[in-house]
Amino acid sequence: MSKPTKPAGILSGTKVIVGDNDLRSFLKDKGFGEESGKRHEVSLIEAVYLVENEKMDVTDGKKILEFDDLLKAGNKAEKDFYSKYTVYSDLRGRGLLVRTGLKFGADFRVYDRGSNVKSSHSKYLIYVVPEEYTCSLPDMAGKMRMSQTVNKAMIYAVVDEEGDITYYQIDRVRM
């Protein structure tokens, strides 16, 4: 196995397990992943971002996985992974804290800059959709109700074929 040049995590399914104390501390401080006993686990999408930004290496136990290797693993594990990664990377690049939104039926929940997951609430629910996406009004209304129930703004992140993202905030108007 080639030697990692940075602290490394080990790919285990759709998670990356991190044991290195310095890397764990960095990840915790920057809002990546979750503590799990004496180790830290980051999602595959977080690992791809960290590898692309040269913050960590990821191995499969035999070799260091490159950015493209991790993207392939993500695409195999999750539908529209690359589009979701594009949005995740854009939001993180803007200094926002991004976490999974699965328990709310969304792709991501997003916190303001400088927020801490433990001491603040997310402000947005992000739904990543392709440019050709269509939905019914009842589907959109259901997402809107969920967003409003948990006091978050609902945003569609529309990703076109070139990977450009347009964000649309959807809100209800009362008259």
Side-chain angles (χ1 to χ4, degrees):
M1 175 170 106
S2 55
K3 205 100 163 107
T5 57
K6 294 172 255 342
I10 299 173
L11 181 63
S12 176
T14 59
K15 299 275 186 198
V16 173
I17 312 301
V18 177
D20 179 85
N21 286 335
D22 290 338
L23 181 55
R24 285 175 53 202
S25 179
F26 167 79
L27 295 171
K28 187 176 179 181
D29 185 51
K30 299 296 182 187
F32 291 100
E34 302 287 333
E35 287 290 320
S36 179
K38 292 190 177 207
R39 62 185 192 188
H40 199 87
E41 295 179 356
V42 295
S43 69
L44 195 49
I45 208 160
E46 291 172 312
V48 173
Y49 180 81
L50 290 161
V51 166
E52 182 179 37
N53 288 281
E54 300 180 357
K55 301 298 183 190
M56 70 181 274
D57 284 331
V58 174
T59 74
D60 63 2
K62 298 176 187 155
K63 66 178 178 118
I64 295 174
L65 300 173
E66 301 295 327
F67 174 78
D68 289 339
D69 298 326
L70 291 170
L71 277 181
K72 284 178 191 168
N75 284 324
K76 196 180 286 188
E78 187 177 339
K79 184 180 183 230
D80 299 322
F81 182 84
Y82 185 73
S83 291
K84 292 174 187 175
Y85 174 70
T86 301
V87 171
Y88 178 89
S89 180
D90 181 64
L91 294 169
R92 272 289 188 166
R94 294 170 185 255
L96 300 168
L97 180 57
V98 184
R99 306 295 290 194
T100 182
L102 289 178
K103 73 179 180 181
F104 300 111
D107 293 301
F108 303 113
R109 64 187 196 275
V110 179
Y111 297 75
D112 273 336
R113 285 179 191 86
S115 294
N116 182 312
V117 174
K118 302 235 187 269
S119 63
S120 60
H121 295 282
S122 57
K123 288 185 73 172
Y124 310 100
L125 290 181
I126 308 290
Y127 298 88
V128 179
V129 297
E131 187 174 30
E132 63 278 358
Y133 175 76
T134 60
C135 69
S136 67
L137 286 175
D139 181 48
M140 186 182 289
K143 289 177 180 173
M144 173 65 62
R145 272 192 304 279
M146 169 55 82
S147 297
Q148 289 179 337
T149 298
V150 295
N151 296 319
K152 296 175 189 354
M154 176 184 155
I155 296 179
Y156 277 120
V158 179
V159 182
D160 68 18
E161 288 184 14
E162 291 81 33
D164 295 326
I165 307 162
T166 305
Y167 296 97
Y168 294 97
Q169 183 171 334
I170 310 296
D171 205 350
R172 182 173 73 179
V173 176
R174 296 180 198 200
M175 300 182 126

